[in-house]
Amino acid sequence: MLITLLIRFLLGGLLVSLFAILGDMLRPKSFAGIFGAAPSVGLVSLGLAFATKSGADAALDGRSMLVGAVALCTYCLLASYLIWRRRWGALAASGTGLAVWPAVAFGLWALALR
Amino acid sequence: MKNIALDIGKVRRLSWKAHLVRFTLGGLVTAGAGLIGAAYGPAVGGLFLAFPSISTASLSLIQRQAGKNAAGVDAWGAAIGSLGLLGFAAVDWVLAPLTSGWVTLLTASAVWLPLSFGLWLAIRTTRRHLNRRQRKPGR
């Protein structure tokens, strides 16, 4: 379990960093932002699910990831609106979005997938 | 309309602290998703595969370097990318029980990027077209 966690931490950190660096290098910013929603956590977690569990578990992960992606879209739209239109700081906007993400994710999960 | 460009020198101008923060945050989110999946099963753990790990780490950095407009626009781009992530997740959901992990994840990744790029291009083209029409009323 500890070794799996360490692998998750290292690979997840690496992929998140790589996609973030790619986003830093690209212009315009709206295109670069796409890499802010890159499937870095998904690739590592699903890869480990295939390696240590089964395709059925990975499929369940993917199904819930659909709902998580809707919540992520909500987070991003909210953060964009708060920063761009309401001139909030990025930290405050991200923090607000992080409070909204679980509400949307778990709310939709309870409605559609439970 | 600005064309897509790559500024490789940008990487060297970023501080080690910024890289470390993003690496640590990304690692913690990925490990956390694994712990939640182990405790509550893939139906709950899977939600966290779309947790905003990159955006959270990047938006403050972008604001510091390029201002609020850039951060806001970046978040808008991430919203489009998250729609592409729907495609990634859908492919995994469908293919995972049917084929190997490599095929599933490669196909899902091959769907995510073109779908995100296509949506970005479509939205951008539509907005440019609408802006042109607004500037020339009566045509």
Side-chain angles (χ1 to χ4, degrees):
Chain A
M1 178 77 171
L2 266 174
I3 293 183
T4 312
L5 270 180
L6 186 63
I7 292 171
R8 281 181 180 274
F9 178 83
L10 292 172
L11 285 179
L14 184 65
L15 275 184
V16 165
S17 294
L18 287 175
F19 278 118
I21 287 169
L22 189 55
D24 286 336
M25 293 193 295
L26 285 166
R27 295 285 176 272
K29 267 279 158 250
S30 60
F31 178 70
I34 287 175
F35 294 89
S40 40
V41 178
L43 282 167
V44 173
S45 296
L46 291 169
L48 285 169
F50 278 110
T52 61
K53 296 176 206 168
S54 69
D57 274 336
L60 271 177
D61 272 327
R63 192 181 71 147
S64 292
M65 193 179 175
L66 280 169
V67 170
V70 173
L72 178 61
C73 188
T74 309
Y75 163 95
C76 295
L77 287 173
L78 178 64
S80 178
Y81 171 75
L82 290 175
I83 296 169
W84 206 2
R85 302 292 183 200
R86 307 292 279 179
R87 311 310 288 174
W88 283 30
L91 202 60
S94 307
T96 305
L98 282 176
V100 168
W101 183 89
V104 175
F106 285 102
L108 284 176
W109 176 81
L111 274 173
L113 299 182
R114 204 171 168 188
Chain B
M1 181 158 106
K2 290 178 199 170
N3 292 325
I4 294 170
L6 193 68
D7 177 8
I8 296 172
K10 187 69 187 288
V11 182
R12 283 187 234 111
R13 296 196 286 273
L14 281 176
S15 69
W16 277 106
K17 189 182 170 187
H19 289 301
L20 189 64
V21 165
R22 294 199 291 205
F23 180 90
T24 306
L25 211 71
L28 286 173
V29 169
T30 311
L35 283 172
I36 291 168
Y40 299 104
V44 176
L47 293 173
F48 290 85
L49 304 192
F51 189 81
S53 47
I54 303 175
S55 275
T56 308
S58 291
L59 287 178
S60 291
L61 185 67
I62 292 167
Q63 180 185 285
R64 215 175 303 133
Q65 290 177 336
K68 284 185 180 176
N69 281 348
V73 168
D74 190 87
W76 165 247
I80 298 173
S82 65
L83 295 178
L85 202 61
L86 285 171
F88 178 98
V91 168
D92 173 76
W93 182 22
V94 169
L95 284 187
L98 303 174
T99 184
S100 71
W102 288 109
V103 171
T104 301
L105 294 179
L106 278 172
T107 309
S109 301
V111 164
W112 166 73
L113 190 55
L115 180 59
S116 300
F117 177 65
L119 285 169
W120 175 83
L121 201 60
I123 291 170
R124 193 163 181 161
T125 306
T126 305
R127 287 179 76 179
R128 189 170 68 148
H129 178 70
L130 287 173
N131 285 340
R132 273 193 188 150
R133 288 188 73 180
Q134 276 180 348
R135 272 187 244 126
K136 295 177 182 177
R139 277 205 179 184

